[in-house]
Amino acid sequence: MEAALFTAQDLACWRAERLVFAEISFTLAPGEALLLTGANGAGKSSLLRVLAGLLPAAEGKLLWNNEDALADRVTHGARLRYLGHQDALKPALSAAENLGFYARLHGGDVPAALEALDLLPLADLPARVLSSGQKRRLALARLALAPCGLWLLDEPTVGLDTASVARLGPLLAAHRARGGMVIAATHLPLPLPDARELRL
């Protein structure tokens, strides 16, 4: 088994004077996946935001390769992709243009990313006319653009039909095969075989 690359040590988070979670610890090695489960309001989304460096932890540490993961927030941001509840799309831009903007920042093959989520037939349509499921697939297609070490996914299958969830499987598998790690908050089964579970 490979050594841990990403480590959380005794994380705690307060939101609006309420303790959301405390004493959260885990390790992830290259290729591993972790599912965050629990009731609504248990802190899954807050934990993902702490892991992304978007929300400060009240206590605890995050380590990347045994060093402070947040010592350089720009570097930390570059080694992860965070997909929150919002799809973060420009409504007036086409599906291809939305991905093209992202590809200019991170690199990657836009047609291949569209194909990975079965979006090539919709490439020239403005995002505003896409269904909620199509918008979610377009947001997920950003993950296919450029490799990085860690994917943080908040309810990635919201609005997706069964076929779309199945298409997500090869994308997740390819990322893990390259040594990528996945942490996903979910209420539904995800195509992440051998994933460990952390219940909040």
Side-chain angles (χ1 to χ4, degrees):
M1 181 174 170
E2 290 196 61
L5 180 59
F6 190 49
T7 302
Q9 295 181 345
D10 297 320
L11 295 179
C13 176
W14 288 80
R15 299 293 302 269
E17 300 182 3
R18 181 177 78 90
L19 181 64
V20 181
F21 58 77
E23 298 181 353
I24 296 293
S25 297
F26 63 83
T27 62
L28 272 187
E32 287 192 319
L34 180 68
L35 297 176
L36 306 179
T37 62
N40 289 336
K44 300 183 298 295
S45 296
S46 294
L47 178 55
L48 285 175
R49 291 176 60 81
V50 168
L51 299 178
L54 300 173
L55 186 68
E59 295 176 9
K61 292 191 291 188
L62 279 178
L63 303 177
W64 188 276
N65 205 18
N66 294 318
E67 297 184 0
D68 183 357
L70 300 177
D72 183 341
R73 289 178 182 269
V74 173
T75 297
H76 186 60
R79 62 185 162 225
L80 65 85
R81 301 288 178 266
Y82 169 76
L83 178 69
H85 288 150
Q86 302 298 318
D87 294 325
L89 302 172
K90 294 282 188 183
L93 297 183
S94 70
E97 287 169 338
N98 267 285
L99 288 192
F101 174 79
Y102 201 77
R104 285 192 292 278
L105 297 174
H106 302 286
D109 182 338
V110 170
L114 289 167
E115 175 62 24
L117 275 300
D118 194 26
L119 290 167
L120 267 180
L122 310 176
D124 296 327
L125 291 180
R128 69 174 175 270
V129 306
L130 301 180
S131 71
S132 61
Q134 290 166 340
K135 288 175 183 175
R136 193 59 171 173
R137 281 159 50 205
L138 184 55
L140 287 162
R142 289 196 297 261
L143 298 172
L145 282 173
C148 71
L150 175 64
W151 289 357
L152 301 173
L153 310 178
D154 200 350
E155 300 289 352
T157 58
V158 167
L160 297 186
D161 58 22
T162 303
S164 297
V165 173
R167 276 195 166 266
L168 187 55
L171 189 65
L172 293 165
H175 172 65
R176 294 176 71 189
R178 291 190 299 264
M181 299 170 289
V182 180
I183 302 176
T186 185
H187 290 286
L188 301 172
L190 291 178
L192 279 169
D194 305 319
R196 288 183 284 127
E197 181 178 347
L198 175 61
R199 186 164 185 84
L200 275 70

